[in-house]
Amino acid sequence: MALADDIEALRQRTLLALDASHDYYTFTKRAWRLMRQVVREGREFSFWNPATGTRLDQQGLVRRGRIYVADNLIVSTFQQFVSLLEEFFFGLLRCWLTAFPGSLLKKQVELSFVLNAPDKAAVLSMVIDRELNEWKYERLAEWFARLQRLVNLGCPTADEIENLAEIKAARDVLVHNNGIANAIYIAKAGRCARARDGDELEFPEQYHRDSWRIIRKVVEELSTAAIAKAR
């Protein structure tokens, strides 16, 4: 039951964080919309950033707000969705490998670490850390293939994995290539690729919402399947 409880706790943390991130996007967008309404009603004000020396009046803030929402806000929360998926996936693997370490029996460990480790649990934790770090450099499709070999959970579907692969590839492009699609993105995204080499990736609101929904769905379904197996 301890494993099932750990997976349930991981599920709840992840879903709460996903919901909080989407709430941040939605309510921040609405707050900027309210500010535009206040300006239309004739309210005048200005803000000053003492760090940069920038001062904006109400009209300047309205202009900035459109950029902040359309670019910064949507992109930052999208990246958070993907980070939460990764944290959940590897958290789930950690829970499972800790409870069922049989697949790690042939892994080699330095004798010096074993001799200095406080107990067997510390050795196992180090081996799991090393294993998961190797997984992280593989493509997302291989993550799920490995998970399938480790424990057959029956989800997500092949189509969902392809969509998640594109979502992760899009996040990687934002982080590593300033949002410009390249050959690496196209290879990772496969037939779900949304841009050609050299194109700037777009992140419309529907894509943002769909990404959140599929990530949340996969977290729910993987958790449910893993808990059933654990029991």
Side-chain angles (χ1 to χ4, degrees):
M1 289 298 293
L3 175 57
D5 292 341
D6 288 344
I7 296 171
E8 178 60 30
L10 175 64
R11 166 164 56 185
Q12 292 303 321
R13 287 197 306 272
T14 306
L15 293 179
L16 285 172
L18 281 167
D19 288 352
S21 187
H22 202 284
D23 284 344
Y24 168 67
Y25 169 77
T26 300
F27 298 146
T28 302
K29 183 177 67 172
R30 291 179 181 175
W32 279 104
R33 187 179 299 162
L34 177 62
M35 190 199 71
R36 291 199 300 271
Q37 178 62 35
V38 168
V39 172
R40 281 196 295 268
E41 293 171 355
R43 187 77 177 271
E44 295 184 1
F45 52 86
S46 66
F47 289 161
W48 176 55
N49 181 353
T52 64
T54 302
R55 185 182 295 276
L56 294 173
D57 64 11
Q58 69 279 358
Q59 296 298 336
L61 281 166
V62 167
R63 289 190 293 271
R64 287 285 184 97
R66 294 192 182 97
I67 298 171
Y68 293 160
V69 171
D71 296 336
N72 306 79
L73 182 63
I74 204 166
V75 163
S76 64
T77 49
F78 170 77
Q79 291 183 68
Q80 180 68 5
F81 300 160
V82 181
S83 294
L84 289 169
L85 171 65
E86 292 176 342
E87 290 172 18
F88 167 80
F89 185 87
F90 287 100
L92 177 61
L93 285 174
R94 177 174 295 283
C95 289
W96 199 269
L97 289 172
T98 301
F100 301 108
S103 63
L104 303 173
L105 291 179
K106 294 183 179 180
K107 299 296 179 179
Q108 295 183 350
V109 182
E110 292 83 358
L111 179 60
S112 60
F113 182 87
V114 175
L115 294 176
N116 293 319
D119 50 37
K120 184 171 69 174
V123 175
L124 177 59
S125 179
M126 186 277 291
V127 173
I128 291 173
D129 283 343
R130 181 183 294 173
E131 183 74 0
L132 297 187
N133 283 335
E134 291 178 3
W135 283 39
K136 290 175 182 178
Y137 289 100
E138 296 176 350
R139 293 185 180 181
L140 183 138
E142 182 58 25
W143 294 2
F144 285 100
R146 279 182 176 246
L147 179 62
Q148 175 75 7
R149 294 192 291 269
L150 182 66
V151 49
N152 181 12
L153 298 180
C155 59
T157 67
D159 286 345
E160 287 171 337
I161 292 172
E162 287 185 342
N163 280 312
L164 289 173
E166 190 284 324
I167 290 168
K168 183 179 181 300
R171 191 285 307 272
D172 293 347
V173 163
L174 283 170
V175 174
H176 301 298
N177 206 44
N178 201 31
I180 305 300
N182 54 18
I184 297 173
Y185 163 79
I186 293 169
K188 288 181 177 179
R191 61 194 187 99
C192 291
R194 300 182 295 115
R196 295 174 298 181
D197 191 358
D199 290 345
E200 183 175 359
L201 273 178
E202 296 183 353
F203 294 86
E205 188 166 23
Q206 186 64 51
Y207 175 82
H208 180 269
R209 186 183 302 113
D210 289 345
S211 299
W212 176 81
R213 284 175 174 165
I214 191 173
I215 289 171
R216 201 180 194 286
K217 179 176 183 289
V218 168
V219 168
E220 283 270 28
E221 292 179 350
L222 281 175
S223 300
T224 298
I227 289 170
K229 290 273 187 177
R231 289 174 174 164

